[in-house]
Amino acid sequence: MSLEILDQFHDPALCKSVLDRLNETLTGPLRFMEVCGTHTVAIFRSGLRSILPKEIIHLSGPGCPVCVTHEAEINAFLDLAEKPGVIVATFGDLMRVPGSRGRTLKAAQADGARVRVVYSPPDAIKLAAENPDAKVVFLGVGFETTAPGVAASLKMAKAQGVANYRVLSFHKLVPPALTALLSDVAPAPGQGIDAFIMPGHVTAIIGIEPYRPVVERFGKAAAVAGFEPLDILQALLFLAECQRDKTPRLANLYRRVVRDEGNAKARAVMAEVFTTADALWRGLGLIPGSGLEIGDAYAAFDAKRDFGIEIQDCPPLPGCKCGEVLKGRLAPNLCPLFGKACTPAKPVGPCMVSTEGSCAAYYKYQVD
Amino acid sequence: MTDKVLLDYGSGGKASQRLIGELFLKHFDNPELRRMNDGAVLSVSGKIAVSTDTFTVDPMFFPGGDIGQLAVHGTVNDVAMMGAVPKYLTCGFLIEEGLPMADLERVVTSLGAAARAAGVWVVTGDTKVVPKGAADKLFINTTGIGEVIVDPAPAGDRAMPGDAILISGTLGDHGLAILSTRQGLSFETPVLSDCASLNHAIEALLRNLPDVHVLRDPTRGGLATTLNEIALASNVSCDLEEDLIPVRPEVRGGCSLLGLDPLYLANEGKFLCIVPEADAEAALKIMRADPLCAGAKRIGAVAALERPGQSGRVVLKTGLGGRRLLGMLEGEQLPRIC
């Protein structure tokens, strides 16, 4: 898509007119949650948060892949990185995430562990081909957006006979997390979630149907949206209209990228390589059927089997309210640790760790 | 000379002499260096400004420049930002054994040409060759000496409420050129490093407008980091308007692809200038007269902090009219997962 077209999506005059309509449509407080780190950052970075009507309350859900990677999973990454004969290949944003012992991949790298930042799984396969004496383990973190690319890399490794390539899959699935979030104990009155902005990239893969239960079973309006200010404003307008009409609906407002049916090819690759499994989420705990494991056909490339990795829950971090933040029950700045014991320099909880985490975004961008 | 740099070239013996004579002296030639003493004896008048920097860049040759000219531009610019006219450079080479001689000559040629263009002499130097693996190809240290021409000199703690914030041109070019080359990415419109010596533009500015409050080159950490340092040191709020900040469309596009923010990317040929509001237009006119600063723009203003006890900060007014903080990064920017 050309940059000129994208420019229209942050045209101040267009945005202002949607904002005006939003103001006219609102009938009361609208507590919306987005479930994508890119949305979190876009809302803060564009300054949108500071010009939204007071009635609109922005909650950031468990949509940042780094944030929801469990401490125990980070520990597993660190243990692997420190094994002789292993090169760990990872996306850059995992480098600074602390495990339960406060250690990071960046620190492990400084101590001599072989950790390489890559931009895509094929880069990791190339790394494996260049280092035949080592096992190159790609750290598989991310949602439905990232998983198909990793699945394709496993197919590629198998086809090319790159026998020293491994993947440690901790991929997670968005819809089961939404169900878990909405099935959790009832929030105090006025503290729940009224509506959702659904992640654009994830939906491009899974399509809109997996969100149907959010609307029909839990009665929440949901809009799939892009990441430009105008995208987000239009989604909010739709959610406000649903609230005014008292009829929760589901809409795909990101048609320039997302087809209603998603991407069947990408899903087929995922299904060929992965099977679903229970997964641990930071702040949310164990969610049934919310993870992806490497299936039997690709067992030879599975780092979990090769290195005998087992993940066990560990106690939550004392004082950290990230679980409440991720569920939309607490604003980041109301956590007692926020900005004091917990800052981007020394993050305690997951939401402060990633640049796309809600606490980090709040700390970084919020003026008042 | 051999086609690869050998350990012998750093031994101080005949091989070293050949390297100095046939390479360094040839490209850096000036009367002081020609005397071939252990050091240099220099004449300066009044206050002097000194700055040192060590250069390591991967890749050594990148679109728009190389480590040799960068070693001149970086130090010359740091000296100029102190309100000085750079005069002399010292230059230390730390070379990994086995570096192709052709690469070394290319770097030295480029460094010599950049020094001549900036009007500075390389007056003394040093060469060390270390065993393979003990360093990555080539490190260069340069120290610059310049004569301070204004009093008081511009400084990071002199930004005052009401001052105008000016930038000499587009942001993020160098950082994106390096990152994209390192990652083997190419864009439709190639992104070139902006690396350049700014001392002539700075001298013209200071000779005409001696009351420049702050001069800084937004290198590592980019505009955002540099302005935060200034805001903290001066205890003020630096208020920027996003729409006014110049970023090339290809840099914006590349950053958006990689999940990077151009305001945090390094620049090697731009300077930030904070002047009294009354001098802003005159400063821009002088800057724009230099081809390296043709894109100079006013990007914001300095304001008093909103509350007592608040620490200095940078606030960005976005294109939509919203406001947000433009903070400092924790470490280097890392490309994102999705």
Side-chain angles (χ1 to χ4, degrees):
Chain A
M1 189 164 314
S2 83
L3 287 167
E4 289 73 30
I5 293 175
L6 268 188
D7 274 348
Q8 296 177 5
F9 284 88
H10 33 96
D11 178 80
L14 274 174
C15 288
K16 173 80 173 49
S17 74
V18 180
L19 194 60
D20 288 345
R21 280 173 60 200
L22 181 59
N23 266 309
E24 289 158 18
T25 310
L26 279 170
T27 50
L30 174 61
R31 295 171 59 87
F32 83 97
M33 174 176 273
E34 37 75 14
V35 199
C36 173
T38 311
H39 274 142
T40 312
V41 171
I43 290 168
F44 277 99
R45 268 190 56 125
S46 61
L48 202 54
R49 212 181 135 99
S50 66
I51 54 171
L52 285 176
K54 293 270 174 289
E55 293 85 355
I56 292 200
I57 294 137
H58 167 208
L59 311 168
S60 285
C64 151
V66 170
C67 299
V68 299
T69 302
H70 199 271
E71 299 91 313
E73 295 174 333
I74 301 290
N75 289 347
F77 293 158
L78 287 163
D79 291 345
L80 252 186
E82 282 159 6
K83 280 193 203 299
V86 168
I87 299 175
V88 155
T90 177
F91 289 130
D93 18 5
L94 277 178
M95 292 294 283
R96 280 195 282 262
V97 186
S100 67
R101 303 181 292 267
R103 195 167 160 73
T104 65
L105 284 170
K106 218 171 171 66
Q109 186 182 40
D111 288 339
R114 291 201 279 173
V115 182
R116 302 283 179 271
V117 172
V118 293
Y119 285 74
S120 68
D123 291 349
I125 296 184
K126 204 171 139 221
L127 198 62
E130 288 163 0
N131 293 277
D133 300 337
K135 284 179 182 170
V136 172
V137 184
F138 180 76
L139 305 184
V141 160
F143 298 118
E144 291 90 336
T145 336
T146 322
V150 178
S153 82
L154 285 164
K155 288 186 70 169
M156 193 195 283
K158 195 174 189 180
Q160 295 178 357
V162 186
N164 61 328
Y165 179 61
R166 299 284 180 279
V167 169
L168 181 50
S169 174
F170 291 137
H171 293 100
K172 294 184 171 53
L173 303 172
V174 170
L178 295 177
T179 305
L181 200 63
L182 290 168
S183 312
D184 202 27
V185 280
Q191 294 299 305
I193 307 158
D194 296 323
F196 285 90
I197 290 188
M198 295 302 186
H201 298 140
V202 166
T203 317
I205 308 294
I206 66 175
I208 65 168
E209 282 314 304
Y211 304 131
R212 195 66 68 188
V214 169
V215 181
E216 291 176 1
R217 180 172 156 208
F218 297 102
K220 312 290 180 192
V224 177
F227 302 94
E228 304 301 329
L230 191 62
D231 288 317
I232 294 164
L233 282 167
Q234 280 175 327
L236 289 173
L237 178 60
F238 170 80
L239 299 178
E241 284 167 355
C242 290
Q243 192 184 45
R244 179 197 61 197
D245 304 341
K246 298 191 174 62
T247 48
R249 283 174 284 147
L250 173 63
N252 175 8
L253 303 178
Y254 195 27
R255 289 185 185 275
R256 67 183 190 278
V257 171
V258 175
R259 281 175 297 169
D260 285 356
E261 66 277 19
N263 182 334
K265 254 191 198 161
R267 287 200 303 273
V269 178
M270 272 164 73
E272 183 188 333
V273 172
F274 294 119
T275 55
T276 54
D278 300 348
L280 273 173
W281 294 56
R282 260 210 225 215
L284 299 177
L286 189 79
I287 302 179
S290 68
L292 290 175
E293 281 185 351
I294 295 176
D296 292 341
Y298 290 84
F301 298 92
D302 184 358
K304 258 183 220 166
R305 296 181 218 215
D306 191 8
F307 296 97
I309 295 165
E310 280 181 32
I311 295 300
Q312 265 152 11
D313 201 354
C314 36
L317 300 157
C320 172
K321 302 276 185 205
C322 277
E324 297 302 293
V325 172
L326 285 169
K327 290 174 193 164
R329 304 224 176 132
L330 189 75
N333 63 332
L334 297 181
C335 169
L337 304 186
F338 180 83
K340 299 182 187 91
C342 184
T343 64
K346 225 174 158 20
V348 175
C351 303
M352 190 62 92
V353 172
S354 162
T355 49
E356 297 202 333
S358 49
C359 294
Y362 205 99
Y363 186 89
K364 189 171 166 193
Y365 297 121
Q366 187 74 11
V367 174
D368 304 308
Chain B
M1 284 192 292
T2 51
D3 61 350
K4 296 252 167 110
V5 176
L6 309 177
L7 283 172
D8 289 348
Y9 287 110
S11 66
K14 280 189 173 175
S16 297
Q17 289 304 319
R18 268 203 304 281
L19 189 70
I20 293 168
E22 292 175 27
L23 193 64
F24 294 119
L25 203 52
K26 179 176 151 195
H27 292 287
F28 300 163
D29 187 46
N30 62 65
E32 186 55 42
L33 192 63
R34 226 175 287 142
R35 297 169 69 189
M36 295 283 276
N37 283 325
D38 284 353
V41 177
L42 310 170
S43 304
V44 283
S45 57
K47 284 189 182 174
I48 65 166
V50 183
S51 183
T52 192
D53 207 341
T54 303
F55 297 83
T56 152
V57 56
D58 172 29
M60 268 199 302
F61 305 98
F62 48 83
D66 56 69
I67 188 172
Q69 53 171 286
L70 199 59
V72 173
H73 303 319
T75 298
V76 159
N77 290 344
D78 283 347
V79 171
M81 298 307 147
M82 305 305 297
V85 175
K87 295 281 187 188
Y88 307 109
L89 281 183
T90 72
C91 186
F93 278 75
L94 198 141
I95 308 168
E96 184 188 20
E97 175 190 16
L99 180 76
M101 191 59 82
D103 283 357
L104 181 61
E105 173 139 31
R106 197 173 149 196
V107 170
V108 172
T109 308
S110 170
L111 198 156
R116 272 193 303 283
V120 294
W121 285 2
V122 177
V123 288
T124 186
D126 178 50
T127 312
K128 294 280 184 296
V129 182
V130 298
K132 200 149 185 78
D136 185 14
K137 298 189 200 70
L138 177 63
F139 299 157
I140 304 176
N141 172 274
T142 53
T143 296
I145 296 171
E147 293 173 351
V148 179
I149 57 169
V150 281
D151 186 23
D157 60 1
R158 291 189 55 211
M160 307 267 291
D163 284 356
I165 303 173
L166 317 176
I167 187 75
S168 69
T170 54
L171 293 163
D173 303 15
H174 177 76
L176 191 67
I178 296 284
L179 273 175
S180 53
T181 310
R182 219 180 270 168
Q183 296 306 327
L185 298 175
S186 55
F187 303 111
E188 272 174 44
T189 317
V191 175
L192 302 182
S193 165
D194 58 353
C195 69
S197 290
L198 300 162
N199 54 322
H200 301 308
I202 298 286
E203 187 177 348
L205 186 68
L206 293 175
R207 298 251 185 239
N208 289 289
L209 291 173
D211 192 25
V212 172
H213 288 172
V214 185
L215 278 178
R216 278 285 168 89
D217 51 342
T219 52
R220 272 179 306 182
L223 176 79
T225 306
T226 305
L227 262 182
N228 270 286
E229 288 166 1
I230 295 167
L232 283 170
S234 299
N235 215 21
V236 293
S237 177
C238 290
D239 297 349
L240 300 183
E241 294 208 32
E242 188 174 37
D243 285 350
L244 299 180
I245 301 174
V247 178
R248 286 179 202 282
E250 56 270 31
V251 171
R252 195 181 297 284
C255 281
S256 139
L257 189 76
L258 293 170
L260 302 172
D261 185 337
L263 303 188
Y264 292 91
L265 287 180
N267 308 280
E268 292 291 349
K270 297 292 158 32
F271 69 95
L272 189 76
C273 166
I274 299 182
V275 295
E277 178 59 48
D279 290 343
E281 279 311 310
L284 282 173
K285 203 171 161 202
I286 297 163
M287 286 160 82
R288 286 176 189 149
D290 187 303
L292 292 173
C293 308
K297 285 185 78 175
R298 178 203 170 96
I299 55 172
V302 179
L305 292 169
E306 285 168 13
R307 283 195 305 276
Q310 206 171 37
S311 36
R313 60 192 201 157
V314 181
V315 178
L316 187 73
K317 188 174 164 212
T318 67
L320 293 182
R323 288 170 85 223
R324 69 162 167 96
L325 292 180
L326 188 64
M328 267 192 179
L329 286 188
E330 269 320 306
E332 56 187 323
Q333 280 195 97
L334 298 170
R336 63 163 174 230
I337 286 186
C338 77

